[in-house]
Structure formats: C-alpha cells, structure tokens
Amino acid sequence: MERIERIHALHRLFSSSRYPVKVARLQEELECSRATVYRDIAYLRDQLMAPVEGDGEAGFRYDRGEDDRFELPGLWLSSEELHSLLAAQQVMRRSGGGVLSEALAPLQERIEKLLDEHAGGRRVPVERVRVIPHRTRRLDQTAFRHVATAVLDRRRLAFEYRARSTDQHTRRVVSPQRLTHYRDNWYLDAWDHEREGLRSFAVDRITAARPMEEPAIDQPEEDLDRQLASSYGIFSGEPRGWATILFSPKAARWVADEHWHSRQEGRFLPDGRYELKLPYSSGRELLMDVLHYGSDAEIVEPASLREQARTLLSLATANYDCVPG
C-alpha cells in the first residue's frame, strides 16, 4: 500500500472509530510495519494537523471535539510527478486529434481524475501551470519515428549523421540501445558497429534513417550507465578526471541547490563561496554550463580545463574589441 493510501486509510479509521485503534490493528489494515504506522501517524498529526490523540499502548483516535471540523487536505503531487503529468498532457494535446489522440483519450481522463483526487476533490486549473520548452531543436519527424521504432523493435538502424561540432557528414549503422530526452532534446544511445563503441547521437542531426532487418545487439545496462552516464553531460564517456569549480557567494545560493551530477560533491567555504566537484570526460558541455555563470564561476582544476575556459573567454572578449559593422 502506498503512503497516500495509508494516510487515507488512517483518516477513515480514526473518523469512524469511537474508541482508540490499537497499533496491531493499524498494522493489519495498512499492511505495513509498526514503525511505518508510527511514521504515518506522526505525518498525519504534525504535517496535516489532524487532531490525533493517544499512545502506542492504548491506541490512537481523533479528538472527539475536533474530528467533525477536520478534513483531510488534498495530498498534492511532487514536482517530478506534476511535471510528468503535465508533459503527458502536452504530448496528447500536440497529437492533433489523430489516431494517437483517440488512443490516449482514456489516459487523459485518468490523469484529470488523478489530479482531482490529489487536490481534495476540487477542480485543478492545470492551465495555470506551464511547462515551457527551452531551446528545443527542430526534428525531422519521419527520422524520429524510424529511430523510435528501431529502439522499441530492437532492430539495427542505418542513417546519415552530421555532427554539429565538426559539421562532418557520415553514414552510420548502429544497434539502438536507448532513446534519451535531455534538456528538451532527443538523443539516441547506440552501439556503433563500424567504430565498435557506444555513442550518443542528437536525433535532430539524423537524416535518411532506415530500420534494418538485422536484430540489434543489446549492451549490458551497466555498460551503458558506465559509458554514457558516468561523467558530466550527455556526451559523457568514461571519466577522465574530476573538475573543481568555485562559485561566488552570490551564485552559491543557486548552485548549492542544483543537481549537476549523481556523484557531485559540494561544500560551502568559510568566505561564503561554494566549491563543486564532479567527474567529467569531455569538457565541452561542462564549460558551457560553467561559463553561463560568467564572473561568478571559476574553474580551479584541472589545469587543462581551466586553460580551455581562459581561451574561450579571451576569444569571447575579442569580439568586443572593435566597433561592429
């Protein structure tokens, strides 16, 4: 039983019971441990302000003088759950009333019902919560369908690819592993047969995609995570080392609450600055995110990454050395 179900069950039991309910019965009703019962009662009393009284020996119940005035508030969703539901709604709206829209109509109703239930029965004005795409790239929808089909059907995929960093045009044959949505854009994680290695491809740079009859060669999940998620950024690869970045006291108030990497290490320094350490392979994406903070960020280590940042900043300031036009 999920926590939200247990909280509702506790509320029903306490509201309908004239006498205190023993912990043993609560364990049976909630299908959980004794410790979980106490945690849920504490949450009901301290967080939801329910008039719970009693102790572990005599049992628990609602205060008879307050129970009629207490109503269980709507138990709202987490930010991740709300974002997921809103994203699903947007996908259904964008489907344009076609086959996909008709097929997903029951799911739309379930989402609306779920939102209503978590809001305590009142209407949820979802239109007042926005999910705004940021720097989304244009996709060839035909290519995207072929990529997604190859991933789900576990078939090899042939396509033409033009790397954005080099503008080099190549022909690839890959075994698709995963389709990843990262920073409002789609990427294909795949085993490149010619290069005999795992690669990530920006789907918006894929053209002339063609699913093949040959089955895809699956790579172990641990290999995918080690190669594609062990370092900073989408094009991570095996970590070459750790980067150390110092942020000014002003920027520290933001950075300390940000999730950059699953293995990041952060701490406030005595002077108010914030030190962030994280593993990286290719410095390209990390440099872009650090330079986003301008003078409020400084790469301390390694020296090679620090030098790359200095060079990029020098080139940027050179653009302002002459009058435009």
Side-chain angles (χ1 to χ4, degrees):
M1 188 181 293
E2 297 292 333
R3 186 180 197 184
I4 183 174
E5 296 174 307
R6 296 198 305 270
I7 294 298
H8 279 288
L10 279 174
H11 177 65
R12 289 193 299 269
L13 284 168
F14 292 159
S15 297
S16 60
S17 298
R18 297 181 58 187
Y19 303 101
V21 184
K22 297 292 184 65
V23 173
R25 182 190 170 192
L26 293 176
Q27 285 183 248
E28 181 180 353
E29 294 283 348
L30 304 182
E31 303 175 350
C32 65
S33 67
R34 185 181 183 89
T36 299
V37 169
Y38 278 104
R39 283 196 295 269
D40 287 344
I41 290 175
Y43 180 84
L44 184 63
R45 181 189 60 228
D46 301 333
Q47 301 298 320
L48 302 182
M49 307 303 293
V52 180
E53 62 178 13
D55 57 46
E57 297 298 325
F60 297 89
R61 69 173 185 180
Y62 280 164
D63 185 328
R64 293 295 91 186
E66 299 289 336
D67 59 333
D68 290 339
R69 291 196 292 267
F70 175 74
E71 292 183 0
L72 193 65
L75 300 180
W76 192 239
L77 307 170
S78 69
S79 60
E80 292 83 3
E81 292 170 329
L82 178 60
H83 181 274
S84 298
L85 287 175
L86 293 174
Q89 282 191 320
Q90 286 194 358
V91 168
M92 286 181 276
R93 290 195 191 103
R94 293 171 186 168
S95 62
V99 175
L100 180 61
S101 180
E102 294 177 5
L104 295 180
L107 179 58
Q108 172 75 18
E109 296 175 2
R110 292 283 299 276
I111 289 176
E112 293 176 353
K113 181 180 179 181
L114 181 61
L115 287 171
D116 289 341
E117 289 175 352
H118 281 261
R122 64 184 185 277
R123 178 187 174 276
V124 179
V126 178
E127 67 277 4
R128 293 188 178 274
V129 182
R130 295 190 298 167
V131 178
I132 302 176
H134 176 62
R135 301 174 67 179
T136 303
R137 302 169 190 159
R138 290 191 299 272
L139 276 178
D140 181 332
Q141 293 300 326
T142 300
F144 179 81
R145 283 195 295 271
H146 286 320
V147 170
T149 298
V151 171
L152 299 177
D153 287 351
R154 310 307 306 126
R155 297 289 180 182
R156 298 188 192 189
L157 183 71
F159 56 85
E160 295 180 3
Y161 190 73
R162 177 166 289 176
R164 181 172 277 105
S165 58
T166 63
D167 205 36
Q168 182 181 5
H169 191 279
T170 56
R171 183 72 180 172
R172 306 293 184 101
V173 175
V174 304
S175 283
Q177 304 298 314
R178 300 186 298 203
L179 193 58
T180 301
H181 191 252
Y182 177 72
R183 298 192 178 189
D184 282 330
N185 293 292
W186 288 99
Y187 297 88
L188 171 66
D189 298 334
W191 176 264
D192 190 312
H193 288 277
E194 181 178 346
R195 291 157 181 80
E196 296 185 343
L198 289 168
R199 299 289 189 273
S200 286
F201 301 94
V203 177
D204 61 289
R205 306 298 287 178
I206 291 176
T207 57
R210 177 176 60 86
M212 306 173 70
E213 291 300 321
E214 293 87 347
I217 298 176
D218 291 337
Q219 299 297 312
E221 284 290 327
E222 55 269 22
D223 289 352
L224 295 176
D225 291 338
R226 182 171 59 251
Q227 176 69 17
L228 301 172
S230 57
S231 297
Y232 187 82
I234 189 67
F235 306 108
S236 54
E238 292 284 355
R240 290 191 335 202
W242 283 68
T244 301
I245 307 117
L246 288 180
F247 294 89
S248 70
K250 181 178 69 174
R253 296 193 293 270
W254 280 268
V255 179
D257 293 329
E258 293 178 350
H259 177 81
W260 289 52
H261 190 270
S262 60
R263 295 169 58 195
Q264 71 185 46
E265 300 174 1
R267 66 186 181 110
F268 279 98
L269 301 180
D271 60 4
R273 292 182 299 169
Y274 189 77
E275 179 186 79
L276 178 66
K277 295 184 177 182
L278 44 82
Y280 83 102
S281 175
S282 171
R284 177 177 41 168
E285 194 170 358
L286 179 57
L287 283 168
M288 287 191 296
D289 286 342
V290 172
L291 294 179
H292 165 77
Y293 280 92
S295 60
D296 287 312
E298 176 190 358
I299 295 175
V300 178
E301 294 178 336
S304 59
L305 192 65
R306 180 182 175 90
E307 180 60 24
Q308 289 181 54
R310 191 194 68 79
T311 300
L312 289 174
L313 288 170
S314 297
L315 292 172
T317 56
N319 292 332
Y320 297 90
D321 290 340
C322 57
V323 178

